[in-house]
Amino acid sequence: MVVFSCVYKSTIQLAKELLGCFLVHETSKGLIKGRIVETEAYLRNDEASHSFRGKTERNKTMFNGPGFAYVYFTYGMHNCFNVTSKVGEAVLIRAVEPLEGIELMKKNRKTDIVRNLCSGPAKLTQAFGISLKHDGVFLDEKSKLKILKGNKPKNVVKTTRVGISSAKDKLYRFYEKGNVYISKN
DNA sequence: GTAGTGATCTTCT
DNA sequence: GAAGATCACTACG
């Protein structure tokens, strides 16, 4: 797994490295591929992180170490996809630019508007067919779900995270400037 | 265009 | 019992 074999010193840095990388899912109905354009870092001593209050049944994958998929269910109807980093830390994938399997994504999302296919954490799990089954999956070359090294975006913007009620001042959200497929501006 | 709210249910307090 | 790393729809301007 190219991304995780390279040295990164922090989860923050991994969040930046993941921008421009490709998210690939080989489903039974075909290949789905997209380019990551928006991420958020969640650290260990981070009030907004699921791992803040320690290991539980739900967040145990966050404690696996680097390179696993941490998928969690929230708001009674949505799944979100993270890539684990150091023990107790992970990067939330918030948005992806659709590249391949767009017809499949449209079907999964029940919309024809390409801009709305993957422009949000719960949207992209729907479009990619990612569910709780994928929680704890290791994202290497052999896996059906994986991340491939991509081209780094030119302009990366750093802002506060979205949808949280604590640690709002932390600048742990990163996205490619000007990209149409991010979740917000 | 923005603002507000209902959906829906697991997880943790 | 309450809140939640969200989304889609409606109302209004």
Side-chain angles (χ1 to χ4, degrees):
Chain A
M1 177 32 211
V2 189
V3 177
F4 300 103
S5 60
C6 66
V7 182
Y8 63 93
K9 54 178 186 243
S10 68
T11 300
I12 301 282
Q13 194 191 349
L14 178 65
K16 292 182 205 167
E17 296 278 340
L18 283 172
L19 289 176
C21 290
F22 301 110
L23 179 62
V24 179
H25 191 198
E26 295 166 20
T27 70
S28 53
K29 293 176 183 170
L31 184 83
I32 299 179
K33 182 174 177 180
R35 182 168 173 271
I36 298 171
V37 294
E38 181 179 350
T39 61
E40 281 180 9
Y42 284 87
L43 309 187
R44 188 64 216 275
N45 288 319
D46 174 2
E47 231 187 314
S49 171
H50 288 168
S51 61
F52 183 67
R53 287 170 215 289
K55 191 173 175 178
T56 64
E57 186 55 32
R58 177 210 208 184
N59 67 23
K60 59 185 179 187
T61 306
M62 278 185 92
F63 294 81
N64 275 4
F68 291 88
Y70 167 46
V71 184
Y72 67 87
F73 184 74
T74 190
Y75 289 110
M77 61 186 92
H78 295 306
N79 293 315
C80 294
F81 172 70
N82 298 247
V83 178
T84 61
S85 175
K86 298 178 182 178
V87 171
E89 307 195 345
V91 177
L92 172 69
I93 309 300
R94 285 195 58 86
V96 163
E97 176 180 344
L99 294 179
E100 290 179 40
I102 292 178
E103 291 310 311
L104 265 174
M105 293 189 197
K106 287 180 181 173
K107 214 172 164 185
N108 290 341
R109 292 270 302 122
K110 300 189 193 336
T111 176
D112 284 333
I113 306 165
V114 178
R115 284 180 58 150
N116 285 346
L117 290 176
C118 302
S119 54
K123 295 183 190 177
L124 75 90
T125 56
Q126 258 188 43
F128 274 70
I130 295 173
S131 69
L132 286 177
K133 285 187 306 189
H134 300 96
D135 184 38
V137 167
F138 187 59
L139 300 165
D140 73 352
E141 304 281 346
K142 293 174 194 166
S143 174
K144 297 200 172 183
L145 182 64
K146 60 194 160 194
I147 290 174
L148 304 176
K149 186 82 179 168
N151 49 322
K152 253 188 181 173
K154 287 174 195 156
N155 296 311
V156 174
V157 186
K158 174 171 69 169
T159 63
T160 55
R161 291 174 292 187
V162 176
I164 53 172
S165 51
S166 52
K168 287 181 177 170
D169 54 324
K170 299 286 191 294
L171 300 174
Y172 293 164
R173 172 172 175 244
F174 306 93
Y175 63 87
E176 182 177 24
K177 189 178 181 182
N179 193 290
V180 198
Y181 298 99
I182 63 172
S183 63
K184 289 190 179 179
N185 275 310

